[in-house]
Amino acid sequence: DSADFDREVESICPFCGVGCQISLKVKDDKVKYVEGINGPANEGRLCVKGRFGFDYIHHDHRLTKPLIRRDDAPAKGLNVDPANWQEFFREATWDEALDFAAKGLKNIGGTGVAGFGSAKCTNEEAYLFQKMIRQGFGHNNVDHCTRLCHASSVAALMENVGSGAVTATFNEIENADVAIAIGCNPIENHPVAATYFKQFTKRGGKLIVMDPRGQALKRFSSHMLQFRPGTDVSMLNAIMHVIVEEELYDKQYIEAYTENWEAEKEHLKDFTPEKMAEVCGIDAETLRDVARTFAGANAAMIFWGMGVSQHIHGTDNSRCLISLALMTGQVGRAGAGLHPLRGQNNVQGASDAGLVPMFLPDYQSVMNDGVRSAFTDVWKSEDFSNQKGLTVTEIMDAVHDGDIKGMYVLGENPAMSDPDVEHARDALAKLEHLVVQDIFITETANYADVILPASAFAEKSGTVTNTNRQVQMGRAAVSPPGEAREDWWIEVELAKRLGLGWEYTSPADVFAEMKLNMRSLDNITWDRLEDENAVTYPSLSPTDPGQAIVFADGFPRPDGRARFTPASIIAPDDVPDAEYPMILTTGRQLEHWHTGSMTRRSTVLDGLEPEANCSLHPSTLRKLGVVAGEAVRLTTKRGSIEIMAREDRAVSPDMVFLPFAYVEAAANILTNPAVDPYGKIPEFKFSAVKVEAV
Ligand code: SF4
């Protein structure tokens, strides 16, 4: 009823990478409710998070004033109660807080300072953040949560197809007749995308689900391969072995568009389904059937998530998926393509904007002199380091080594999100100067020297880019609370105090600068996005809504050819033994978002899932003598937590599934920081664990 609101503002859901367009209904400067509108990715649909997960915006825990740590504050890291923060911090004016933040970072200077940005921020904020570290401190020690998400997928895609983004939008599944969904759980994690998957199966499309954990998508699948955790490469290589053995591959496509096929073919010889069945736990006949089904498709897509990427062999897992698509010619056509489902709402855009230690915007290498000078010409500044910077986990190691002493954290929560969080928390406590910019006193802010109160998505304007490469316009609908300010404004004011002379007056100014060195934004302007809400990149003309499918005629690699990179079996880093006999895997739940700072402050979402929980098979519970609802203790080589057990037949008897949104039973106390050598992504999906009754 329009009487319920006095303003409607169109924006983008702040949660997952689907990027649903929404209409915020506002009354008295408060968001009253949210409706889905006709965006290219959602066509009016929303999931429970997008529809009901907005009241955190007006939560009374919101930061409303800049805060500086008191000289007599208790030790860093103690939990700061939002109702009793005065014991730890004192209020400051913006000028005082910004001067203090800048002075502390400047005094340390150079490679002693690192930056953690966020995929929750807009493209403009991500661009400014990486620029500040590079221009202000002369190096590339800047990263964000893509490192914990799809870094290995991007490494494999860059290596083998020449671009880290998806080759086709997920909506293209409507033109496919076969699809693989591996290591992803879209009904919980990309719920609106999952509605397109379900429609596809209702039309007769064959959906092959591959996951060590059962899931709701199983009901819609033609094949459900519940393989042993960590054995992706053996299973995928066996499927490709069958395609080679039975000559089901697309010879013409391979000859026209790829390289290194002979090496791949040779490599696959050893991976017979019979041999690999013993490794991955899927019988040989099923592997053959899946190979024939996929290779026999007219158009097929492959979707994957963190079940593929968060392994020490995450890049190898993705290499296999890319090879499977290439050998069957399933790229660059309607209904065909490779699609790593992006996690956070702007992880694609923040990565595109250069918020990573090895690339400037548009994945241009920091090691290339011409690339750096193109940016410093625009920035009117000195050259900066030609060495790749440190990643999220390497930055924490460098703090322990005494090399990094100052940090600027914008919207990220490494005290919850890093693997082996005790190691990360000890690092945060060691810092001489920590600047945290956020909307709540997060677990990371417990360690801050200064906290800068920032804005929620509904309080700021800026562009974000979803999993489909759709650049979309987010708009401010309500005012930030108290003296909280838009993130871009805070960054600009901080940069001025670092002596960088920034003079932006709006996010539109920043976007205009980004376009100077980002060919992906050609034909996409701020005004166009204001008018159209979304444009997919690449857009070939000022009126082209953008290309849903890319690489119809070759790849952005030497000679236009994609590459087969053979992958061998690498065992997980932390394998079960007599002391830690089970396998721990972590992930998200439908109702909660990442470290929970927003969704656990949303009344409906927290009401639906109020308590930390882990999932165990009924036979495991029986063996432990535990009834669902009682507590269990989970212990790995890194730490221990107690948590309520749930009965769940979707996990196998040797597995525990643990959501990571709950601070009172933080999953990452347990997880393993060992990383994939290419993408540097930690192995969140596999740790040896001991489970005991409490
Ligand atoms: Fe938001 Fe993702 Fe749900 Fe869409 S599917 S409403 S983007 S959380």
Side-chain angles (χ1 to χ4, degrees):
D1 185 337
S2 59
D4 293 344
F5 55 89
D6 47 39
R7 208 160 69 244
E8 325 177 59
V9 180
E10 294 184 352
S11 193
I12 312 298
C13 173
F15 296 111
C16 88
V18 172
C20 295
Q21 287 192 9
I22 55 177
S23 171
L24 298 157
K25 313 295 181 183
V26 177
K27 189 165 190 173
D28 303 330
D29 211 22
K30 295 267 184 293
V31 178
K32 290 294 174 192
Y33 62 100
V34 172
E35 280 179 351
I37 58 171
N38 193 24
N42 65 314
E43 299 175 289
R45 305 164 209 197
L46 291 181
C47 78
V48 66
K49 284 194 290 291
R51 193 172 296 282
F52 299 113
F54 57 85
D55 55 336
Y56 74 87
I57 300 166
H58 306 303
H59 198 282
D60 60 11
H61 288 174
R62 281 292 303 275
L63 286 158
T64 58
K65 281 195 180 267
L67 303 177
I68 292 178
R69 183 170 286 275
R70 304 181 76 96
D71 292 338
D72 58 352
K76 282 184 174 182
L78 290 174
N79 188 36
V80 178
D81 181 346
N84 192 23
W85 52 264
Q86 289 90 342
E87 192 188 343
F88 298 85
F89 295 98
R90 63 178 175 83
E91 287 181 1
T93 63
W94 268 110
D95 272 337
E96 188 189 7
L98 287 163
D99 287 347
F100 179 76
K103 195 171 160 208
L105 295 175
K106 225 169 148 178
N107 284 347
I108 295 166
T111 51
V113 172
F116 273 38
S118 171
K120 288 197 294 252
C121 288
T122 66
N123 292 332
E124 295 73 33
E125 291 158 0
Y127 175 86
L128 289 180
F129 195 83
Q130 59 84 33
K131 176 175 172 179
M132 186 190 297
I133 298 296
R134 291 178 163 129
Q135 186 186 26
F137 299 97
H139 59 75
N140 299 293
N141 294 342
V142 60
D143 204 359
H144 78 292
C145 59
T146 189
R147 193 68 41 217
L148 312 174
C149 172
H150 264 305
S152 52
S153 311
V154 172
L157 286 163
M158 293 288 291
E159 169 189 53
N160 296 299
V161 301
S163 161
V166 301
T167 74
T169 63
F170 66 73
N171 314 70
E172 268 304 308
I173 196 171
E174 72 180 20
N175 296 315
D177 53 325
V178 175
I180 289 177
I182 175 169
C184 56
N185 186 355
I187 288 183
E188 299 230 16
N189 297 330
H190 301 85
V192 166
T195 64
Y196 291 85
F197 288 30
K198 292 180 210 168
Q199 282 176 335
F200 154 79
T201 63
K202 285 196 176 131
R203 283 196 336 270
K206 287 187 179 150
L207 181 63
I208 302 163
V209 179
M210 303 171 169
D211 202 314
R213 189 175 158 227
Q215 52 170 283
L217 210 49
K218 178 179 176 179
R219 283 192 289 129
F220 301 87
S221 66
S222 60
H223 303 71
M224 174 75 207
L225 276 58
Q226 206 165 338
F227 60 100
R228 288 196 187 109
T231 63
D232 318 54
V233 167
S234 58
M235 178 181 68
L236 294 167
N237 275 353
I239 290 167
M240 290 192 283
H241 172 99
V242 175
I243 292 173
V244 173
E245 182 188 51
E246 300 187 8
E247 297 191 7
L248 304 174
Y249 50 87
D250 186 336
K251 198 162 178 276
Q252 275 183 340
Y253 186 89
I254 292 167
E255 274 173 13
Y257 294 117
T258 71
E259 64 182 33
N260 212 31
W261 169 237
E262 289 305 322
E264 176 77 35
K265 231 163 70 167
E266 186 60 30
H267 179 75
L268 290 171
K269 272 187 182 156
D270 283 344
F271 293 85
T272 65
E274 287 70 23
K275 256 204 272 179
M276 291 305 106
E278 288 170 26
V279 182
C280 68
I282 303 296
D283 65 86
E285 212 30 60
T286 302
L287 294 170
R288 288 186 190 282
D289 188 30
V290 166
R292 290 169 194 145
T293 304
F294 190 82
N298 288 320
M301 292 190 73
I302 302 177
F303 298 92
W304 71 98
M306 259 118 272
V308 164
S309 62
Q310 290 177 336
H311 285 282
I312 58 160
H313 47 86
T315 303
D316 281 325
N317 291 349
S318 293
R319 285 170 173 157
C320 289
L321 297 172
I322 294 163
S323 293
L324 178 59
L326 292 177
M327 70 170 60
T328 48
Q330 294 294 1
V331 181
R333 289 183 289 113
L338 291 158
H339 192 120
L341 285 155
R342 290 313 204 274
Q344 285 197 315
N345 71 326
N346 199 35
V347 73
Q348 181 67 58
S351 305
D352 295 345
L355 200 57
V356 282
M358 52 293 281
F359 297 121
L360 281 146
D362 262 359
Y363 307 94
Q364 300 177 78
S365 173
V366 296
M367 299 167 83
N368 183 312
D369 295 345
V371 164
R372 283 196 322 287
S373 70
F375 280 90
T376 50
D377 283 353
V378 169
W379 298 348
K380 298 188 179 45
S381 62
E382 303 287 305
D383 194 10
F384 53 92
S385 170
N386 63 0
Q387 298 299 305
K388 292 176 186 175
L390 300 176
T391 63
V392 160
T393 51
E394 289 169 345
I395 286 171
M396 291 304 182
D397 291 339
V399 177
H400 280 288
D401 293 344
D403 297 331
I404 288 178
K405 296 185 165 64
M407 207 183 282
Y408 178 19
V409 179
L410 192 171
E412 196 84 317
N413 193 6
M416 276 288 283
S417 59
D418 255 38
D420 193 358
V421 285
E422 297 297 6
H423 177 262
R425 290 173 186 179
D426 287 348
L428 292 169
K430 273 190 180 168
L431 287 169
E432 284 173 17
H433 191 67
L434 173 61
V435 181
V436 172
Q437 181 171 325
D438 215 308
I439 62 173
F440 297 113
I441 300 179
T442 59
E443 291 71 26
T444 300
N446 288 342
Y447 297 85
D449 292 282
V450 51
I451 305 178
L452 306 174
S455 43
F457 83 102
E459 297 155 358
K460 60 186 175 186
S461 295
T463 66
V464 288
T465 307
N466 69 359
T467 190
N468 280 345
R469 295 182 266 106
Q470 284 147 351
V471 186
Q472 307 201 85
M473 180 58 80
R475 295 182 183 84
V478 293
S479 319
E483 293 176 25
R485 299 298 302 257
E486 291 190 48
D487 292 82
W488 73 268
W489 179 89
I490 304 171
E491 291 173 273
V492 169
E493 290 301 315
L494 195 54
K496 282 180 185 164
R497 286 160 173 83
L498 292 170
L500 304 186
W502 290 6
E503 285 173 3
Y504 309 98
T505 58
S506 71
D509 283 356
V510 183
F511 189 80
E513 181 178 306
M514 291 166 69
K515 282 174 60 62
L516 298 175
N517 272 316
M518 290 180 74
R519 296 287 63 81
S520 63
L521 298 179
D522 284 355
N523 296 309
I524 306 177
T525 63
W526 187 270
D527 288 347
R528 215 184 144 187
L529 291 169
E530 284 279 24
D531 286 346
E532 298 173 36
N533 277 355
V535 180
T536 306
Y537 74 76
S539 166
L540 305 183
S541 75
T543 54
D544 174 20
Q547 302 294 303
I549 301 155
V550 291
F551 312 147
D553 194 18
F555 296 86
R557 289 193 77 258
D559 298 329
R561 288 177 180 275
R563 180 180 168 81
F564 289 98
T565 299
S568 300
I569 297 173
I570 299 170
D573 179 72
D574 185 17
V575 290
D577 56 19
E579 193 178 353
Y580 304 100
M582 290 181 62
I583 299 164
L584 172 80
T585 190
T586 65
R588 297 191 298 250
Q589 290 173 294
L590 170 63
E591 295 80 4
H592 285 305
W593 188 242
H594 286 239
T595 63
S597 60
M598 301 189 315
T599 52
R600 295 197 78 196
R601 290 181 172 97
S602 289
T603 318
V604 172
L605 300 176
D606 197 49
L608 289 168
E609 276 294 356
E611 199 176 340
N613 59 83
C614 68
S615 300
L616 289 160
H617 192 269
S619 65
T620 314
L621 288 174
R622 265 198 311 279
K623 233 163 58 188
L624 292 167
V626 168
V627 174
E630 291 180 347
V632 288
R633 185 179 304 111
L634 308 180
T635 307
T636 67
K637 287 166 196 142
R638 293 154 292 281
S640 188
I641 61 170
E642 289 184 11
I643 189 165
M644 187 251 286
R646 240 177 214 173
E647 183 176 299
D648 186 353
R649 288 180 186 280
V651 295
S652 53
D654 61 349
M655 243 176 110
V656 192
F657 172 75
L658 179 61
F660 58 82
Y662 300 95
V663 60
E664 64 275 33
N668 291 6
I669 287 174
L670 307 178
T671 49
N672 186 4
V675 295
D676 170 280
Y678 309 98
K680 307 274 180 86
I681 191 168
E683 192 156 55
F684 287 116
K685 288 290 185 273
F686 197 111
S687 301
V689 66
K690 171 166 61 181
V691 185
E692 300 164 289
V694 175

